[in-house]
Amino acid sequence: MSKLSGGALHAVFAPVDNLARVDAVVRRLGDAIELGLLADGEQLPGETELATRLGVSTVTLREALMALRQQGLVTTRRGRGGGSFVTTPGQPRASRLADWSTEELRDLADHWSAVSGTAARLAAERTEPEDLGALLRSLDEYEAEADPTARGRIYGRINVELAAAAQSARLTKEEIRIQADLGPLICLALGDDDHHPAVAQLHRALLRAVLDGDSEQSRSLAERRVQDAMERLVELRLTDSG
């Protein structure tokens, strides 16, 4: 069963808006699976329903599902109880820190900070405490998780859930795209167990601000959280090149 809220799931299954429709569906669903937004073993909606929700033909959807099966991200079972099921990979797609310049990382930090800060501000203004259940569960999982790779996936899910709480489909889809690009790198930034409690503490402070309806504090803490993660990546990048 999916751990995402309705708003986040809506963004995952919203109509694609790319002319290369097969590639767009593969990217959308592949990113969601890689990030752990769709749970391992979770059954996808039926082909007709999923094609309708994504705004594509069933032929396009079947081609996309075939590509996802070839990537090992989807398993299809036939017969009673059959369908397409998510297969979460053991490791996120490889992304070498050396492929990013420090300027690119800082530019991405600016973009991510703007998206995350705006999402946090709107979440504080628009959401109700009872709508934050999925985000609370993700925070609990993050604090309890010992494996850096799993922590990285949960971290990505927390960011998506925060954007979903802003009740903005565009912000949520943009956050998914950012997390898909950053996922493997975030695992590096979160790999230091000594740093884990500080990240968890900042998450909790951000959630409290959202629950309190403090929009400016929520924005500030969201931007600080992004800058903290990206500064660690820049430091790692400089160390690697040294």
Side-chain angles (χ1 to χ4, degrees):
M1 182 176 179
S2 176
K3 299 176 181 178
L4 290 182
S5 64
L9 278 176
H10 175 74
V12 170
F13 295 129
V16 296
D17 53 4
N18 193 304
L19 293 178
R21 296 258 169 164
V22 173
D23 291 342
V25 172
V26 171
R27 176 68 187 262
R28 172 78 64 75
L29 296 181
D31 287 349
I33 294 169
E34 292 272 4
L35 289 169
L37 304 180
L38 298 175
D40 187 46
E42 178 177 347
Q43 184 173 7
L44 295 175
E47 288 185 354
T48 300
E49 179 187 351
L50 185 53
T52 299
R53 291 170 71 172
L54 292 170
V56 300
S57 69
T58 53
V59 172
T60 295
L61 178 66
R62 286 169 186 161
E63 289 183 31
L65 289 175
M66 182 182 300
L68 290 167
R69 284 195 295 272
Q70 292 172 345
Q71 295 176 24
L73 298 177
V74 166
T75 301
T76 300
R77 305 172 197 163
R78 304 296 178 188
R80 181 182 292 273
S84 295
F85 297 83
V86 170
T87 303
T88 302
Q91 295 289 337
R93 281 175 285 194
S95 180
R96 296 191 318 124
L97 186 57
D99 293 337
W100 295 75
S101 69
T102 55
E103 290 77 13
E104 288 172 326
L105 289 173
R106 290 186 174 114
D107 186 56
L108 180 56
D110 291 340
H111 177 64
W112 182 19
S113 180
V115 170
S116 186
T118 300
R121 176 178 61 80
L122 292 175
E125 294 172 356
R126 296 174 175 176
T127 197
E128 297 295 332
E130 58 268 25
D131 298 326
L132 296 173
L135 183 55
L136 279 165
R137 289 191 295 273
S138 293
L139 284 174
D140 290 339
E141 287 182 45
Y142 181 83
E143 291 175 352
E145 183 56 61
D147 178 65
T149 298
R151 277 207 302 260
R153 284 201 174 99
I154 300 169
Y155 185 95
R157 192 200 313 155
I158 289 170
N159 281 277
V160 172
E161 283 294 350
L162 180 62
Q167 301 176 27
S168 168
R170 286 184 180 273
L171 279 175
T172 307
K173 285 188 282 187
E174 183 62 15
E175 188 66 59
I176 290 173
R177 190 188 69 79
I178 291 170
Q179 294 304 315
D181 287 340
L182 276 177
L185 299 179
I186 290 298
C187 288
L188 296 175
L190 301 178
D192 184 355
D193 288 339
D194 292 337
H195 190 63
H196 176 47
V199 176
Q201 184 177 26
L202 192 50
H203 280 154
R204 288 290 174 184
L206 173 56
L207 180 60
R208 283 195 299 272
V210 172
L211 287 169
D212 291 341
D214 190 336
S215 58
E216 285 308 307
Q217 179 72 349
S218 296
R219 177 193 58 76
S220 177
L221 288 169
E223 292 176 353
R224 176 181 158 194
R225 193 170 53 101
V226 168
Q227 294 300 326
D228 180 62
M230 296 306 292
E231 283 173 9
R232 287 177 58 78
L233 283 178
V234 169
E235 289 174 6
L236 288 170
R237 178 66 180 85
L238 292 172
T239 300
D240 288 345
S241 62

